[in-house]
Amino acid sequence: MDLFEYQGKQYFARFGIPTSKGGVADTVDEAVAVADEVGYPVVVKAQVKVGGRGKAGGVKLANDAGEVRTHAGSILGLDIKGHVVHRLWVEHASDISREYYASFTLDRAAKRHLGMLSAEGGVEIEEVAVSNPDAIAMRSIDPVDGLDLAAAREWVAAANLDEPAREQAAALLVDLYRCYVEGDCDLAEINPLILTPEGRVHALDAKVTLDDNATYRHPEWAEFAATEVEDEREARAKARGLNYIGLDGSVGIIANGAGLAMSTLDVVNQCGGAAANFLDIGGGANADVMAAALEVINSDPAVRAIFVNIFGGITRVDEVAKGVIEALGRVEISSPIVLRLDGTNAPAGREILASHLSDRLVAEPTMIDAARRAVAFAGGKS
Ligand code: GDP
Ligand code: MN
């Protein structure tokens, strides 16, 4: 689960990581009230779960209540890369001497944590990685050893952080590491981490991704989950008990078993198409499940073809075939359907389907043939 900046900063605060004084606001009036409270000048910041808000006009400095009004009014409702701003974070503005970058994330291949620190913060770290990779000091951290203050001191020196920032930055990195590990984050990133003219080091931004697998030991995460904006399609699928994940393509996918569903996405890709979703209907591919799956996929306006890929094991293909026909009797489907049914009782299943096939409901003998057909129905290669 990704957190909003203000939630990330609240999370940081629990681990002693310094941030600016601020508050959330959902209206222009609330923004002014927060600004009056924290003191001018302030920064008015769009709360959307996407980076590059500054460049998109979602971060504005305001010197008085009038400017807060103007900026809050222009940022609320703003569309930043498809995310509409409904909430603001207003904080006391900091003077900046230097902008740094700091993060911890998981290096799955190495089975270790990866720390990244740079004296070239403020800009996108991906750009720094390309234009000046030597400016990023990486640390591969053994999760058993962790990160101690001595190692952090050596690290800030290696990253060439300015002398006055080093001691505070080292302590902050130890705290950020603790937040990342004890706080069960997949990512804890500060960009920019700043040094002020007064010689203070603190976080101006917060990007935190929580590890959903650790939700069971964090009852306090419920407050973060409450502000999650759920994909409408996923909400509909969840209500029907389906294992569904929305994607950006135009080929709707129904498969039995997570492995087959993932392979189906791959073959659709291989044939030049793009899947609109991942959907694993599991073992019980009866008419109810099939109808629910077809309904959810049918309600996605981006879908232009549906690929049903079933390999019968314990699930019998003749049952699946009956399920598909019954489901089609219940749901009005707007896209053509391509079926690939194989495995246990496949001949019986195909026989059941034979009389129902049309130019809108076609069967293909193999997975790759079916994928090609579905991609063609969806408008060819994308
Ligand atoms: P992002 O663009 O989504 O990463 O949003 P940030 O929170 O990182 O803000 C973007 C940029 O706005 C930062 O890199 C800073 O340069 C600037 N900024 C943010 N807060 C302040 C502040 O308190 N004072 C000043 N002077 N600049 C700020
Ligand atoms: Mn940032």
Side-chain angles (χ1 to χ4, degrees):
M1 172 170 49
D2 293 334
L3 299 187
F4 287 111
E5 174 199 4
Y6 74 92
Q7 294 170 328
K9 285 179 168 172
Q10 288 166 359
Y11 212 57
F12 282 172
R14 289 184 209 171
F15 295 89
I17 297 160
T19 54
S20 307
K21 193 174 177 218
V24 291
D26 294 341
T27 65
V28 171
D29 285 340
E30 281 174 27
V32 173
V34 174
D36 287 344
E37 169 75 27
V38 299
Y40 295 90
V42 297
V43 199
V44 182
K45 308 182 77 174
Q47 295 302 287
V48 280
K49 293 177 182 180
V50 63
R53 295 167 303 160
K55 275 188 200 156
V59 177
K60 292 263 165 72
L61 199 75
N63 289 302
D64 53 49
E67 286 184 12
V68 171
R69 247 172 222 295
T70 309
H71 295 321
S74 73
I75 297 174
L76 280 169
L78 191 68
D79 185 317
I80 301 179
K81 301 177 190 168
H83 299 245
V84 178
V85 182
H86 297 296
R87 178 162 279 186
L88 304 169
W89 170 252
V90 180
E91 71 177 25
H92 183 67
S94 305
D95 289 330
I96 301 176
S97 286
R98 294 296 309 266
E99 293 185 301
Y100 309 129
Y101 172 96
S103 73
F104 291 100
T105 186
L106 191 62
D107 181 349
R108 288 175 196 277
K111 296 179 184 161
R112 291 159 74 97
H113 299 305
L114 176 67
M116 291 200 271
L117 181 64
S118 178
E120 317 253 316
V123 292
E124 295 203 9
I125 198 66
E126 291 82 0
E127 284 171 25
V128 179
V130 173
S131 64
N132 191 8
D134 292 343
I136 304 173
M138 310 245 202
R139 286 292 178 272
S140 177
I141 301 164
D142 186 322
V144 176
D145 298 340
L147 177 75
D148 63 17
L149 193 55
R153 283 183 175 134
E154 182 272 324
W155 189 14
V156 295
N160 264 322
L161 262 52
D162 305 82
E163 197 59 61
R166 290 190 186 176
E167 193 52 32
Q168 286 172 76
L172 187 145
L173 285 168
V174 171
D175 289 335
L176 185 63
Y177 182 77
R178 226 166 40 81
C179 171
Y180 166 77
V181 173
E182 289 171 27
D184 283 311
C185 303
D186 278 340
L187 169 73
E189 181 188 76
I190 306 177
N191 189 23
L193 173 70
I194 61 158
L195 172 66
T196 69
E198 307 85 50
R200 254 174 40 84
V201 172
H202 82 266
L204 268 205
D205 194 3
K207 190 168 172 199
V208 172
T209 304
L210 301 173
D211 175 2
D212 293 328
N213 293 317
T215 305
Y216 72 95
R217 59 182 169 216
H218 293 281
E220 81 280 9
W221 286 3
E223 87 178 79
F224 300 140
T227 57
E228 277 265 277
V229 246
E230 208 172 1
D231 184 307
E232 252 177 64
R233 300 171 298 173
E234 289 180 11
R236 265 196 297 270
K238 201 192 267 178
R240 289 170 172 79
L242 296 170
N243 192 3
Y244 174 103
I245 293 163
L247 300 168
D248 296 331
S250 58
V251 180
I253 306 277
I254 298 175
N256 66 325
L260 184 61
M262 285 189 271
S263 309
T264 309
L265 305 196
D266 286 345
V267 283
V268 165
N269 251 309
Q270 193 186 325
C271 294
N277 65 278
F278 165 99
L279 202 175
D280 162 23
I281 55 171
N286 60 28
D288 287 340
V289 177
M290 193 55 79
L294 285 170
E295 260 168 20
V296 166
I297 288 181
N298 196 44
S299 65
D300 180 348
V303 167
R304 294 204 298 270
I306 300 174
F307 178 6
V308 180
N309 190 9
I310 305 290
F311 192 96
I314 295 167
T315 308
R316 288 165 37 203
V317 171
D318 52 331
E319 288 300 321
V320 175
K322 280 184 212 153
V324 170
I325 291 160
E326 203 185 317
L328 288 175
R330 290 198 229 159
V331 197
E332 189 69 39
I333 305 292
S334 41
S335 309
I337 300 175
V338 182
L339 299 161
R340 178 264 181 161
L341 304 177
D342 212 338
T344 311
N345 286 4
R350 293 195 192 116
E351 209 174 292
I352 291 168
L353 276 170
S355 64
H356 297 268
L357 296 177
S358 67
D359 56 348
R360 309 270 302 160
L361 180 67
V362 304
E364 291 287 350
T366 71
M367 184 154 153
I368 192 84
D369 289 330
R372 244 179 238 129
R373 193 77 181 265
V375 170
F377 271 135
K381 296 186 184 253
S382 50

